[in-house]
Amino acid sequence: MSIQNVRLEVMQFLEKNIDSFVENYLIPVEKIWQPSDLLPDSEKETFLEDVTELRELAKELPYDFWVVLVGDTITEEALPTYESWLMDVEGVNQKTPTGDNGWAKWLRHWTGEENRHGDLLNKYLYLSGRVNMREVEMTTHHLINDGFDPGTDRDPYKNFVFTSFQELATYISHNRVAQLAKKFGDHKLSKICKLIAGDEMRHHHAYSEFVNRIFKVDPSEMMLAFQYMMKKKITMPAHLIRESGESIGTAFEKFSESAQRIGVYTALDYVDILEKLNVKWEIDKITNLTDEAEKARDYLLKLPERMTRIAERMVVPAEEKIFKWVQPALVK
């Protein structure tokens, strides 16, 4: 049987439990928080006072913080690209004789939860008074237009490695932003980012469980897919980000430098995620591997140490880069 047909069989095997995945890792619409729960209520007479308070607290947050928050927001708002990519994965069918298959149901429900993140952060940025919203909107528009290619093709194994990694990376980023907001006294923004981080962690647990179950039924091919993604390197969803009038991808390096400068997401975090996935999937204990997959496992187990040496030698520029998205820091 071809590798592709085996993957389809595995996807159909996992799909039998899709309702339990939705129940265990996602939250019903009526029970989960919504953006309006966390922002000034426009129906209240105190709305303008609450917005004024939000804007005053925003003045205390440093420039690189705003760059990272904007970058995180744009990444979340490019959700249509991510959903369309995942809907094209082998084994996901939007149309069958009986309607969507289980995987399409999972992706729609996952998308519904993720959609709240960009919605909430966008409204916060708009109210803050610290951000050039038209520039932010143009960058988001460009990012959706420019597309998204994580190098996974339509392979579900590679795609689930990517989503397992990326959901944990976004958890780290949002959680660190929450910690920084709290440090600077903005407890409401801290709560916003903490809640978003919580969603990302739940989603990470779901996608990493998909991989874990694939390892149990097709260990060699899953190991080779994991190795492939780590050799290729996991690209961030916003790696093609650009400012207005610039070429594709030109803003990503500057954005990454801001994130590393304030410790929101660093090269060592990338290594730490790989180590966590190795432990979570018990890579060192998996048996019944082909010779090629054994070599792949050895590579994966040695990779964190090699990458740590590289990460520790990296030098991040100390100077802040000015973006069109963010107004210059206010003078007190």
Side-chain angles (χ1 to χ4, degrees):
M1 186 181 292
S2 71
I3 289 174
Q4 184 180 31
N5 287 339
V6 171
R7 278 161 162 67
L8 285 174
E9 280 198 6
V10 171
M11 288 291 281
Q12 289 163 5
F13 167 72
L14 293 178
E15 185 193 347
K16 295 175 182 177
N17 294 307
I18 206 71
D19 286 337
S20 68
F21 291 141
V22 170
E23 182 179 344
N24 292 335
Y25 295 108
L26 301 177
I27 299 174
V29 174
E30 286 75 14
K31 294 183 178 180
I32 200 168
W33 61 265
Q34 296 296 336
S36 58
D37 299 332
L38 299 156
L39 295 165
D41 187 345
S42 61
E43 292 184 301
K44 289 187 176 180
E45 291 185 2
T46 59
F47 173 67
L48 294 179
E49 295 173 21
D50 294 338
V51 172
T52 298
E53 179 187 16
L54 184 154
R55 291 166 69 93
E56 287 300 311
L57 289 169
K59 293 177 182 178
E60 302 299 319
L61 301 168
Y63 191 85
D64 272 335
F65 178 96
W66 284 101
V67 171
V68 170
L69 188 59
V70 168
D72 284 352
T73 303
I74 292 165
T75 301
E76 295 286 356
E77 291 217 285
L79 181 61
T81 307
Y82 316 142
E83 183 190 29
S84 63
W85 183 274
L86 289 169
M87 280 293 188
D88 194 45
V89 168
E90 292 283 356
V92 180
N93 294 309
Q94 296 192 65
K95 294 297 176 184
T96 71
T98 57
D100 291 356
N101 76 346
W103 285 113
K105 175 182 178 179
W106 164 266
L107 289 173
R108 291 190 196 287
H109 282 65
W110 168 80
T111 300
E113 285 200 359
E114 288 282 340
N115 183 67
R116 295 153 40 259
H117 302 169
D119 189 10
L120 173 55
L121 291 172
N122 182 292
K123 288 173 180 172
Y124 172 84
L125 292 179
Y126 178 80
L127 293 172
S128 74
R130 289 293 308 274
V131 173
N132 184 324
M133 286 305 298
R134 193 168 200 282
E135 289 291 342
V136 173
E137 290 157 358
M138 284 192 285
T139 294
T140 301
H141 197 158
H142 274 305
L143 187 57
I144 294 173
N145 285 354
D146 292 336
F148 169 65
D149 183 2
T152 56
D153 197 20
R154 301 182 67 209
D155 183 346
Y157 293 12
K158 293 173 183 174
N159 272 285
F160 290 158
V161 170
F162 178 83
T163 47
S164 297
F165 195 104
Q166 273 306 130
E167 294 285 11
L168 188 51
T170 50
Y171 161 79
I172 290 170
S173 181
H174 288 301
N175 192 53
R176 296 259 178 82
V177 169
Q179 292 169 357
L180 283 170
K182 184 177 181 180
K183 176 183 174 183
F184 285 98
D186 196 332
H187 296 278
K188 291 180 180 178
L189 177 58
S190 178
K191 182 179 180 180
I192 285 172
C193 296
K194 195 79 174 176
L195 285 170
I196 293 173
D199 283 356
E200 304 292 9
M201 180 57 84
R202 275 190 297 103
H203 300 163
H204 160 70
H205 286 316
Y207 285 109
S208 59
E209 179 58 21
F210 297 158
V211 173
N212 191 48
R213 296 196 183 196
I214 295 171
F215 265 123
K216 293 186 185 327
V217 294
D218 194 8
S220 291
E221 284 301 316
M222 189 63 248
M223 190 73 72
L224 291 170
F226 187 18
Q227 179 202 36
Y228 175 89
M229 291 305 296
M230 297 317 302
K231 273 191 170 182
K232 185 184 179 301
K233 296 183 181 177
I234 301 291
T235 56
M236 301 298 112
H239 72 282
L240 296 181
I241 200 168
R242 56 164 149 166
E243 295 181 275
S244 62
E246 303 295 332
S247 56
I248 294 176
T250 50
F252 183 71
E253 185 176 354
K254 291 194 298 177
F255 164 59
S256 297
E257 288 173 359
S258 289
Q260 292 192 75
R261 225 175 353 255
I262 60 173
V264 165
Y265 186 79
T266 70
L268 287 172
D269 288 319
Y270 184 99
V271 180
D272 187 54
I273 292 172
L274 170 57
E275 289 184 311
K276 281 183 167 61
L277 293 178
N278 277 344
V279 171
K280 193 178 190 77
W281 295 328
E282 297 186 316
I283 297 301
D284 61 329
K285 298 177 184 176
I286 294 174
T287 57
N288 298 319
L289 296 173
T290 63
D291 290 344
E292 187 181 11
E294 286 278 8
K295 292 177 182 177
R297 174 172 56 189
D298 291 343
Y299 172 85
L300 290 163
L301 292 173
K302 293 175 183 176
L303 187 57
E305 185 179 348
R306 289 171 48 198
M307 294 186 68
T308 298
R309 291 196 297 269
I310 295 171
E312 288 175 344
R313 292 197 298 266
M314 290 181 63
V315 178
V316 180
E319 184 181 354
E320 293 175 343
K321 302 290 180 67
I322 302 302
F323 285 78
K324 296 177 182 178
W325 310 329
V326 184
Q327 306 292 358
L330 300 179
V331 178
K332 296 181 182 179

